[in-house]
Amino acid sequence: MSVPEKNITIAAREFRFTPEFTANSPKVFMETYGCQMNVSDSEVVVSILKQNGYLYTDKMEEADLILINTCSIRENAEQRVRGRLDIFRLMKKKRPSILIGVIGCMAERLKEKLLEEEKMVDLVVGPDSYRDLHKLVQQAGTGQKAINVLLSREETYADISPVRLDENKISAFVSIMRGCNNMCAYCVVPYTRGGERSRDAQTILRDVRELIELGYKDVTLLGQNVDSYHWMDNSRGDDIDFSRLLALVAQTNSKLRVRFSTSHPKDMNDEVLNVMAKYPNICKCIHLPAQSGSSRILEMMKRGYSRDWYLGRIAAIRRIIPECTITTDIIAGFCSETEDDHQQTLSLLREVKYDFAFMFKYSERPNTFAQRKYPDDIPEKVKSRRLQEIIDLMKELSGESKKLDVGKILEVLAEGTSKKSKNQLFGRTSQNKIVVFPRENYQPGQYVNVLVDDCTSSTLKGKGVKGF
Ligand code: 5AD
Ligand code: SF4
């Protein structure tokens, strides 16, 4: 997954005035760190708690239960969570009755250690154990150890309708699979989220239809490796792979924008690209994490492809969907990375001309293949310098990609008020580029044709035009 760890405090909604709840119903406050999958999981967790009579609150001070949905992907993601736990602990000192729970990837990675070392944590719940939350909260309430970090081969929470907690009510995530079988040498995810399993296609379509009924306009199908989605519906004799699923979701409503994340270069096939080309409402943007431009490093990373293979996939995208933007993830300073390997990464960025990249310094994670087999031998200073060179180049390339749109009229889905001015709206194009334009009489949720007249490296600027 590819959103760098950030804190998403989910706004209270849905819960407040639901009749079955009373003033005495316990209140849960939740913070979410990490990837889009965690955001999606938090919506499942809230749904499960709601079924058990909890109210959601966005005010930490009034919560009876504080949950923190955590990320382990890099050391600094865990540090941030520890910082938040310190604050929650201070609260618990003032109000000892509150329960604090760590859920998600850090819960899975650190298990009992969280209860032992972080004395003020009351419950620890891994990503496959959310159905157990209510029982664990009750257990913790009586002062017992409350932990469930069992990973499952089947759990997909397929039957749970997530409680949509986003602010804008326009774009939403739909999880289509869980876990990962890839075992990239640097990555902790297979250990924290377990093996890959796909979700029943009918429940995915049900979620999508529900979102359409609620007025949502943009869905992102989520999985660690969406290209390996596979569901055998025995009752219908239906064998559904990702390209089929994508077509089925696109067919639910031609006005619904459909996105997906994340693709894996070794598995992304032309059928998926052909489906993308066929349906105008499937957004023309592919996130294809390269990680490195050096075949030697890719092999050490156990990515399952070489630089040439990766470029072959890029050529296929350009051939089948010429207007598609491509974004990526890059790791700087992986074990044994030479200056030449690094130069190859920079040359890959130039060759592909990415629109955007998430860029990271390599962070050694306990028990991964890389941690067990390779020394983390690139000095911090060198990692930082290489990362900065990658960031600088990407700024240039992002700017060039934006300039290509100046003078064009693009269809933009308005998503909300621009941070900089109340008189401006922002939205996204099919290619996932952010566009800012004067609000005039346009409303969030509306498709607006915008004539682009200016840009920065991250944003297009323009004005709504009528009559197109
Ligand atoms: N160190 C740095 N970056 C990492 N990623 C995954 N594991 C690590 C690690 N140990 C990055 C990869 C992945 C993204 C979600 O996070 O680029 O695609
Ligand atoms: Fe998401 Fe967990 Fe990976 Fe973090 S470690 S990016 S939360 S799957």
Side-chain angles (χ1 to χ4, degrees):
M1 290 279 85
S2 311
V3 174
E5 56 285 343
K6 63 182 177 196
N7 162 13
I8 303 133
T9 303
I10 296 170
R13 222 166 260 163
E14 325 271 329
F15 271 103
R16 281 289 166 76
F17 307 109
T18 317
E20 70 250 36
F21 300 116
T22 68
N24 295 327
S25 299
K27 292 195 180 85
V28 55
F29 169 84
M30 174 134 85
E31 272 186 11
T32 305
Y33 292 81
C35 59
Q36 296 161 330
M37 194 62 105
N38 264 13
V39 177
S40 175
D41 276 6
S42 288
E43 296 186 332
V44 166
V45 166
V46 170
S47 179
I48 290 169
L49 289 174
K50 183 183 175 188
Q51 285 164 17
N52 287 288
Y54 292 73
L55 286 162
Y56 188 82
T57 176
D58 59 359
K59 292 184 189 65
M60 188 162 84
E61 309 72 43
E62 65 179 38
D64 303 291
L65 170 66
I66 295 180
L67 294 180
I68 180 159
N69 195 355
T70 58
C71 176
S72 292
I73 201 137
R74 283 168 289 276
E75 173 63 26
N76 58 7
E78 292 199 352
Q79 287 307 347
R80 210 161 301 162
V81 167
R82 286 179 203 279
R84 286 305 285 166
L85 282 175
D86 288 342
I87 304 219
F88 297 157
R89 275 198 206 98
L90 285 178
M91 283 205 55
K92 197 171 160 84
K93 278 209 174 116
K94 282 194 217 141
R95 214 156 42 94
S97 65
I98 19 174
L99 297 176
I100 298 173
V102 175
I103 67 172
C105 291
M106 260 176 97
E108 194 61 51
R109 196 181 82 70
L110 294 165
K111 303 185 171 61
E112 280 87 2
K113 273 195 202 153
L114 277 169
L115 292 173
E116 288 152 14
E117 289 166 19
E118 319 269 347
K119 289 265 178 327
M120 294 288 189
V121 169
D122 302 291
L123 58 153
V124 172
V125 188
D128 286 346
S129 308
Y130 297 148
R131 287 179 200 269
D132 237 13
L133 258 164
H134 177 54
K135 196 187 89 197
L136 292 164
V137 172
Q138 286 181 315
Q139 218 167 296
T142 61
Q144 297 171 66
K145 254 193 184 181
I147 179 164
N148 187 346
V149 287
L150 284 177
L151 286 173
S152 153
R153 286 199 189 156
E154 284 99 34
E155 181 62 274
T156 59
Y157 301 108
D159 56 311
I160 306 227
S161 276
V163 170
R164 301 294 170 184
L165 296 157
D166 56 286
E167 296 276 5
N168 72 6
K169 303 281 157 203
I170 292 166
S171 51
F173 298 127
V174 175
S175 159
I176 65 165
M177 58 208 293
R178 299 180 72 80
C180 183
N181 282 351
N182 282 325
M183 306 299 272
C184 298
Y186 50 79
C187 192
V188 78
V189 171
Y191 306 95
T192 58
R193 289 194 160 262
E196 180 186 293
R197 57 233 113 108
S198 294
R199 181 176 169 195
D200 180 339
Q202 293 309 321
T203 67
I204 296 169
L205 292 169
R206 178 209 65 200
D207 275 11
V208 170
R209 289 192 201 102
E210 269 178 25
L211 287 167
I212 294 168
E213 269 165 35
L214 288 167
Y216 283 80
K217 301 279 171 26
D218 179 305
V219 296
T220 302
L221 307 179
L222 287 183
Q224 306 294 345
N225 181 4
V226 292
D227 302 289
S228 58
Y229 176 84
H230 182 240
W231 179 258
M232 182 67 205
D233 189 340
N234 288 322
S235 61
R236 295 166 202 245
D238 221 1
D239 199 350
I240 301 178
D241 66 3
F242 183 58
S243 61
R244 262 296 299 290
L245 180 74
L246 199 53
L248 289 170
V249 173
Q251 285 160 12
T252 54
N253 186 319
S254 62
K255 281 283 168 206
L256 179 76
R257 280 187 169 182
V258 183
R259 305 179 186 276
F260 55 89
S261 188
T262 299
S263 303
H264 195 299
K266 77 175 166 53
D267 298 320
M268 191 199 63
N269 58 40
D270 287 1
E271 265 161 65
V272 170
L273 300 178
N274 288 330
V275 169
M276 286 181 76
K278 181 171 169 190
Y279 292 92
N281 59 326
I282 302 181
C283 292
K284 304 300 184 267
C285 176
I286 297 183
H287 186 67
L288 200 63
Q291 313 299 359
S292 168
S294 153
S295 292
R296 187 185 74 84
I297 293 290
L298 288 171
E299 195 172 342
M300 283 183 68
M301 287 177 163
K302 295 181 170 290
R303 287 290 287 170
Y305 56 85
S306 63
R307 177 190 175 103
D308 281 351
W309 168 275
Y310 184 88
L311 286 171
R313 294 289 71 216
I314 298 293
I317 298 172
R318 301 278 185 235
R319 177 166 42 83
I320 300 171
I321 325 165
E323 74 275 32
C324 196
T325 51
I326 304 172
T327 60
T328 199
D329 292 349
I330 296 289
I331 299 177
F334 186 64
C335 315
S336 88
E337 187 187 71
T338 63
E339 216 43 48
D340 180 57
D341 294 317
H342 170 59
Q343 288 303 324
Q344 289 184 50
T345 295
L346 295 174
S347 92
L348 182 82
L349 300 182
R350 276 190 214 100
E351 196 162 339
V352 179
K353 297 191 172 70
Y354 294 104
D355 177 63
F356 178 80
F358 292 106
M359 300 156 280
F360 313 103
K361 264 191 267 186
Y362 172 59
S363 163
E364 187 178 75
R365 307 310 292 131
N367 299 324
T368 55
F369 184 87
Q371 187 265 327
R372 286 182 278 118
K373 303 285 181 191
Y374 313 139
D376 180 12
D377 54 359
I378 307 302
E380 193 53 32
K381 254 178 120 175
V382 176
K383 282 185 186 172
S384 297
R385 195 252 305 151
R386 288 181 186 165
L387 177 65
Q388 195 54 51
E389 287 174 10
I390 292 168
I391 292 171
D392 292 345
L393 176 57
M394 270 315 304
K395 193 166 179 202
E396 225 176 87
L397 296 173
S398 292
E400 280 167 23
S401 162
K402 304 294 180 299
K403 274 187 206 147
L404 295 176
D405 286 333
V406 175
K408 288 185 187 166
I409 293 173
L410 300 175
E411 188 184 58
V412 176
L413 173 60
E415 291 187 22
T417 302
S418 153
K419 272 188 205 141
K420 289 198 180 143
S421 159
K422 278 190 186 150
N423 301 325
Q424 303 266 324
L425 290 179
F426 79 92
R428 278 181 297 161
T429 66
S430 165
Q431 279 87 352
N432 211 17
K433 292 183 186 176
I434 305 275
V435 186
V436 175
F437 56 98
R439 177 187 289 271
E440 297 175 280
N441 291 323
Y442 300 114
Q443 302 292 329
Q446 213 180 331
Y447 287 101
V448 183
N449 288 308
V450 176
L451 171 62
V452 177
D453 54 25
D454 197 5
C455 67
T456 66
S457 62
S458 59
T459 313
L460 299 175
K461 295 174 183 173
K463 190 171 177 350
V465 285
K466 305 229 161 62
F468 279 88

